[in-house]
Amino acid sequence: MDFNVKKLAADAGTFLSRAVQFTEEKLGQAEKTEFDAHLENLLSKAECTKHWTDKIMRQTEVLLQPNPNARIEEFVYEKLDRKAPSRMNNPELLGQYMVDSGNEFGPGTAYGNALIKSGETQKRIGAADRELIQTAAINFLTPLRNFIEGDYKTITKERKLLQNKRLDLDAAKTRLKKTKAAEARAAQLNLSPPEENNIMVNVSYMLNLLHVKWLKIWAEEVSKSEQEVRIAQSEFDRQAEITRLLLEGISSTHLI
């Protein structure tokens, strides 16, 4: 239980530190570590690929199935991991109507015979359309969907981790900068005891002394802050490398 409380407190502190750093960056009050040009280019290409892949995938679905209600039904069955009920498509339905009406008029009549032949042709067109939809779904839509729902989600996760490591690094740099400034201020203060036996001078001296003691607490943190920066830099570099390798691998696969 004690471990969980400590971990919760540490996580809350990290979250607050990142939030402060992010806010100060937006206000122009803090420095921001920029990603290298190659990594920025890979991230930009991944965003562009995701944007157009999503648009192409959605429009292809509309082309293959213009009926929005049918698309919703197929989506629900897909999420439930169940097969949607098989239904005749429009050409097949028209063909069946033609065949039925031709048989009713009589295959021996010119009109009935023409309807039956046209109906069979329409049914073959419907079957070809069904095959087109199935082939496009397997060979075209599935790879696009795998990228959106698989690869890009991994990219988003790693990029978020990289952003957090970047915020941690810049927050550590800010803390180090403040501790060094405090150390410098402490060194500049005059700590010599006053020669005059004056109450105001003595009070001023005591306040300076207390202030210096407070500043020394900051100064003692310099070594710790420098270590934090080194650790944060190492974790940032490692995450940047992981993200870069991931993006380069996907780039070669998806021609990003």
Side-chain angles (χ1 to χ4, degrees):
M1 182 66 180
D2 183 52
F3 171 76
N4 291 335
V5 171
K6 288 182 178 179
K7 185 178 184 302
L8 184 63
D11 290 344
T14 301
F15 176 80
L16 180 61
S17 175
R18 290 170 180 170
V20 170
Q21 179 65 28
F22 181 80
T23 302
E24 290 181 348
E25 287 175 1
K26 290 298 181 182
L27 296 174
Q29 299 175 354
E31 297 180 2
K32 177 181 177 180
T33 299
E34 300 293 342
F35 300 146
D36 66 73
H38 179 56
L39 182 56
E40 284 282 7
N41 185 48
L42 289 172
L43 288 170
S44 177
K45 285 185 176 181
E47 278 293 327
C48 182
T49 302
K50 188 265 180 185
H51 171 75
W52 287 110
T53 299
D54 193 59
K55 291 180 77 70
I56 291 170
M57 184 177 70
R58 300 305 173 196
Q59 192 56 39
T60 302
E61 291 173 344
V62 172
L63 175 66
L64 296 177
Q65 179 50 270
N67 188 336
N69 293 328
R71 290 201 304 274
I72 293 173
E73 182 184 47
E74 291 172 358
F75 175 78
V76 171
Y77 275 103
E78 181 183 345
K79 291 302 178 183
L80 294 175
D81 198 21
R82 294 175 59 185
K83 186 177 180 181
S86 180
R87 295 189 180 91
M88 284 186 175
N89 56 34
N90 290 330
E92 288 174 326
L93 193 58
L94 175 59
Q96 189 61 52
Y97 287 162
M98 285 181 169
V99 171
D100 292 345
S101 62
N103 286 325
E104 187 167 338
F105 286 123
T109 66
Y111 185 42
N113 185 51
L115 284 172
I116 291 173
K117 287 183 177 179
S118 297
E120 293 296 341
T121 301
Q122 282 293 331
K123 290 172 73 173
R124 287 195 293 272
I125 292 173
D129 186 58
R130 186 184 298 277
E131 183 180 358
L132 170 65
I133 292 174
Q134 292 174 346
T135 303
I138 294 172
N139 298 327
F140 185 69
L141 287 178
T142 298
L144 298 182
R145 189 173 289 110
N146 287 342
F147 172 72
I148 295 294
E149 298 179 358
D151 295 337
Y152 190 75
K153 282 188 176 180
T154 303
I155 291 173
T156 302
K157 176 185 174 183
E158 295 300 332
R159 184 175 58 186
K160 183 178 179 181
L161 285 173
L162 178 61
Q163 178 69 2
N164 286 338
K165 296 301 181 184
R166 201 273 305 161
L167 288 171
D168 291 342
L169 172 60
D170 288 335
K173 287 180 177 178
T174 299
R175 285 193 296 271
L176 177 60
K177 186 177 180 180
K178 289 180 178 179
T179 55
K180 286 188 174 181
E183 185 181 41
R185 288 177 59 190
Q188 293 174 358
L189 290 176
N190 181 15
L191 296 182
S192 301
E195 297 179 359
E196 301 179 25
N197 190 15
N198 184 289
I199 295 178
M200 293 302 298
V201 173
N202 288 331
V203 168
S204 177
Y205 170 74
M206 292 302 298
L207 289 175
N208 275 342
L209 188 62
L210 291 173
H211 187 57
V212 168
K213 288 184 178 294
W214 178 79
L215 290 174
K216 283 184 175 180
I217 295 176
W218 279 90
E220 291 172 358
E221 295 292 316
V222 171
S223 177
K224 180 181 177 182
S225 297
E226 289 176 342
Q227 183 179 7
E228 288 179 353
V229 170
R230 286 193 295 270
I231 293 173
Q233 184 71 60
S234 174
E235 292 181 351
F236 171 77
D237 292 342
R238 177 177 176 274
Q239 186 58 39
E241 182 66 10
I242 291 173
T243 307
R244 182 186 64 79
L245 291 173
L246 172 66
L247 289 169
E248 287 178 344
I250 293 176
S251 176
S252 63
T253 303
H254 298 281
L255 301 179
I256 292 179

